[in-house]
Amino acid sequence: MTSLGAAPPSDAAAVEPQRRPGVHPQLVVGAVLVGLVVAMALVSLVWTPFDPVRAVPAIRLQGPSATHWFGTDRLGRDVLSQVMAGSRITLYVGVVAVGISAVVGVPVGIVAGMRGGVPGAVLMRGADVLLAFPGLLLALILGAAFGTGTTTAMVALGIGAIPAFARVARSATLQVMRTDYVLAARAANRSAWAIAWRHVLPNIAGIVVVQCSVTYGLAVLAEAALSFLGLGTAPPTPSWGRMLQDSQQFLGVHDNLALAPGIAIAVAVLGFNLLGDGLRDVLDPRLKGVR
């Protein structure tokens, strides 16, 4: 029996366990998958089961075995070693492409959000023009002008992702510019550079990190597509996309040649997308407490 002097539990206390932050499954799974891909790339820098570019015709087109876990390709190269070495190129292209798009797109978005008016509209319309040239199309154009290769893929993917970063940064900047502390800084005659550096950039960093993770997954997929089309990394450097292209003629006979790089691409893309979704749930204050 409840004593007369005891206060009944409040509604806030009743719902408190539901608002208590917990583990984000998407963030954990995404971090694990990305960690596996990164670990594979780092290990491949110092060790692979076999030389990924050495052709041994005597053992060509062997199936999975205790010696060659994923089998060998049409030239007798170890498929597992190629997948491990290919992860280095994939991650490298993603890092440079995301770096290019973030370094250019975020400042454009911040300036457009802070200035507004005609200057902001001009900057965003310029970003919109890039939307008409997706990464794959830019790769075709740049490849025709400067030749295909890893550098072309990195630049094309980086330029193609600039509008996404500019839009995200501008939207977040507009929200920050309406806050009281920014209004106080402007009233104190702080320079636009000081406001951008001390107030805007730290407060939009979270959403920029989320965009980096999502864009990285798209860059991995786009790099594989470019290599599949012959516009990415040139042979003999291993590439997941080119491994898929080489395996086409053996589908139905040696499916392991396509499964290994296909699974690697799927794991990397899924990992970065889940990581981005999890980071968004953690870093976006509007989603805190919402499950």
Side-chain angles (χ1 to χ4, degrees):
M1 180 179 297
T2 304
S3 60
L4 296 177
S10 63
D11 295 339
V15 299
E16 180 63 26
Q18 300 178 3
R19 294 185 178 180
R20 189 172 301 165
V23 177
H24 293 266
Q26 291 179 324
L27 180 61
V28 173
V29 175
V32 170
L33 295 179
V34 171
L36 289 175
V37 176
V38 173
M40 180 170 61
L42 294 177
V43 170
S44 70
L45 291 173
V46 295
W47 175 84
T48 55
F50 298 89
D51 188 343
V53 300
R54 181 186 177 190
V56 185
I59 58 172
R60 62 187 299 271
L61 297 177
Q62 289 188 356
S65 64
T67 303
H68 301 280
W69 288 6
F70 294 167
T72 59
D73 66 3
R74 61 187 178 88
L75 298 178
R77 297 171 298 190
D78 182 64
V79 175
L80 175 59
S81 299
Q82 285 195 302
V83 170
M84 293 178 64
S87 64
R88 302 197 302 255
I89 293 297
T90 299
L91 294 181
Y92 174 61
V93 171
V95 166
V96 177
V98 172
I100 291 174
S101 55
V103 168
V104 177
V106 172
V108 168
I110 291 177
V111 173
M114 293 184 64
R115 292 292 302 272
V118 175
V122 170
L123 288 175
M124 295 312 299
R125 296 299 77 77
D128 290 342
V129 171
L130 290 179
L131 290 175
F133 300 94
L136 293 179
L137 180 59
L138 282 173
L140 291 173
I141 297 174
L142 295 180
F146 304 104
T148 60
T150 305
T151 302
T152 301
M154 292 187 299
V155 174
L157 297 178
I159 295 176
I162 288 175
F165 278 88
R167 285 173 172 268
V168 167
R170 177 181 179 273
S171 176
T173 299
L174 291 175
Q175 296 181 15
V176 174
M177 293 301 293
R178 291 194 290 263
T179 58
D180 293 337
Y181 54 84
V182 170
L183 295 177
R186 297 177 69 178
N189 290 326
R190 291 286 183 88
S191 64
W193 169 257
I195 294 175
W197 181 256
R198 299 190 58 182
H199 300 293
V200 176
L201 188 58
N203 283 281
I204 71 172
I207 194 170
V208 171
V209 169
V210 173
Q211 184 63 32
C212 286
S213 179
V214 174
T215 303
Y216 206 118
L218 297 176
V220 170
L221 188 60
E223 192 279 333
L226 290 174
S227 295
F228 183 87
L229 296 173
L231 301 174
T233 304
T237 304
S239 171
W240 292 346
R242 198 176 63 256
M243 291 176 68
L244 282 176
Q245 199 277 336
D246 291 340
S247 68
Q248 285 188 103
Q249 57 184 312
F250 303 107
L251 290 178
V253 181
H254 299 282
D255 292 333
N256 58 294
L257 298 179
L259 285 176
I263 292 174
I265 295 171
V267 168
V269 174
L270 179 63
F272 280 107
N273 278 277
L274 290 178
L275 182 63
D277 290 342
L279 289 173
R280 180 196 60 192
D281 293 343
V282 172
L283 300 176
D284 193 338
R286 295 172 297 180
L287 298 178
K288 290 183 178 180
V290 179
R291 305 296 296 173

